[in-house]
Amino acid sequence: MTDQIEVDFGEDGLVPAVAQDADSKDVLMLAYVSPEALDATIETGFAHYYSRSRDELWKKGASSGHLQEIEEVRVDCDADTLLYIVDQEGGACHTGRENCFYRTIDGEEVAETVFDPDAVYE
Amino acid sequence: MTDQIEVDFGEDGLVPAVAQDADSKDVLMLAYVSPEALDATIETGFAHYYSRSRDELWKKGASSGHLQEIEEVRVDCDADTLLYIVDQEGGACHTGRENCFYRTIDGEEVAETVFDPDAVYE
């Protein structure tokens, strides 16, 4: 095993992380990761992020059950972006879709809801 | 055709954009997009970004020839992240790989170079 790559967390201490579904290869979501979130992701094998709005470490799916089990964590060439390749439990998006990119820039919806967000997020 | 979604460019006037290969579905890269870059992308059909290091609008592939022809621009649920689904000419990464995510967090290289960066970037 080689040494862990030093991630460039930048001025605000966060890097963007893209979550991609290991099976469908769909891009599920983008969120931000702190050093603590990256450590927790590697240690637990489940995706953790840092919520900028709630200002706290966030285990994806902790309340909804829609966990992201990590298959691989990748780092980009500049070491300032992460790619989480995951097995997504349920849908990734809080709107009930499988992923957050369900609209084209023209406002056309290209994905259906797969769960009822009101039943999952209280 | 519906109305174009209003993108939330935030305090610094930029949003992250994930570029995904339309055929392989590989995540190619992440870069940042200004309102002008988004307009240029939509108008020309080729991916434009905003270079934070060079502080300028940037047409991907303008010098390398490794253009990204747009198949679709998607917007996430919060309208603060874009997904460019593209046909990538040549490799996306300045290191000579097809995409920028060629390393695991443990430093293992999982992709070969597909072009000589010294010959492409002068």
Side-chain angles (χ1 to χ4, degrees), chain A residues 80-98:
Chain A
D80 61 3
T81 303
L82 300 174
L83 176 64
Y84 284 177
I85 301 173
V86 305
D87 293 318
Q88 173 72 57
E89 187 75 27
C93 186
H94 75 286
T95 67
R97 276 83 173 188
E98 286 186 336

Side-chain angles (χ1 to χ4, degrees), chain A residues 1-5 7 16-18 20 24-27 30 32 38 42 52 72-83 93-95 99-108 110, chain B residues 1-5 7 16-18 20 24-27 30 32 38 42 52 72-83 93-95 99-108 110:
Chain A
M1 187 147 145
T2 48
D3 285 340
Q4 186 171 318
I5 290 173
V7 175
V18 179
Q20 181 181 34
S24 69
K25 299 193 78 175
D26 285 345
V27 176
L30 181 139
Y32 293 86
L38 178 56
I42 293 170
R52 298 182 301 174
E72 198 161 79
V73 175
R74 300 245 188 112
V75 183
D76 80 341
C77 49
D78 299 323
D80 61 3
T81 303
L82 300 174
L83 176 64
C93 186
H94 75 286
T95 67
N99 71 71
C100 297
F101 298 95
Y102 60 89
R103 297 179 298 178
T104 71
I105 187 73
D106 294 323
E108 185 190 353
V110 293
Chain B
M1 186 147 144
T2 48
D3 285 340
Q4 185 170 319
I5 290 173
V7 175
V18 179
Q20 182 181 33
S24 69
K25 299 194 76 175
D26 285 345
V27 175
L30 180 140
Y32 293 86
L38 178 57
I42 293 170
R52 297 181 302 173
E72 197 160 80
V73 176
R74 300 245 188 110
V75 183
D76 80 341
C77 49
D78 299 323
D80 61 3
T81 303
L82 300 174
L83 177 63
C93 186
H94 75 287
T95 66
N99 70 72
C100 297
F101 298 95
Y102 60 90
R103 297 178 297 179
T104 71
I105 188 73
D106 294 323
E108 186 191 351
V110 293

Side-chain angles (χ1 to χ4, degrees), chain B:
Chain B
M1 186 147 144
T2 48
D3 285 340
Q4 185 170 319
I5 290 173
E6 188 172 345
V7 175
D8 176 8
F9 285 96
E11 288 178 18
D12 62 358
L14 300 173
V15 289
V18 179
Q20 182 181 33
D21 190 278
D23 292 325
S24 69
K25 299 194 76 175
D26 285 345
V27 175
L28 298 170
M29 56 182 278
L30 180 140
Y32 293 86
V33 169
S34 62
E36 295 74 20
L38 178 57
D39 288 347
T41 297
I42 293 170
E43 285 168 22
T44 66
F46 287 92
H48 287 68
Y49 302 94
Y50 189 85
S51 169
R52 297 181 302 173
S53 57
R54 296 193 305 272
D55 200 21
E56 63 181 17
L57 183 70
W58 161 46
K59 181 182 183 182
K60 171 67 181 169
S63 59
S64 66
H66 295 180
L67 299 166
Q68 295 178 333
E69 189 166 2
I70 295 286
E71 286 226 343
E72 197 160 80
V73 176
R74 300 245 188 110
V75 183
D76 80 341
C77 49
D78 299 323
D80 61 3
T81 303
L82 300 174
L83 177 63
Y84 285 177
I85 301 174
V86 304
D87 292 319
Q88 173 71 58
E89 187 77 25
C93 186
H94 75 287
T95 66
R97 276 83 173 187
E98 285 187 336
N99 70 72
C100 297
F101 298 95
Y102 60 90
R103 297 178 297 179
T104 71
I105 188 73
D106 294 323
E108 186 191 351
E109 298 206 356
V110 293
E112 307 285 318
T113 55
V114 293
F115 66 89
D116 175 5
D118 291 336
V120 168
Y121 299 96
E122 311 207 27

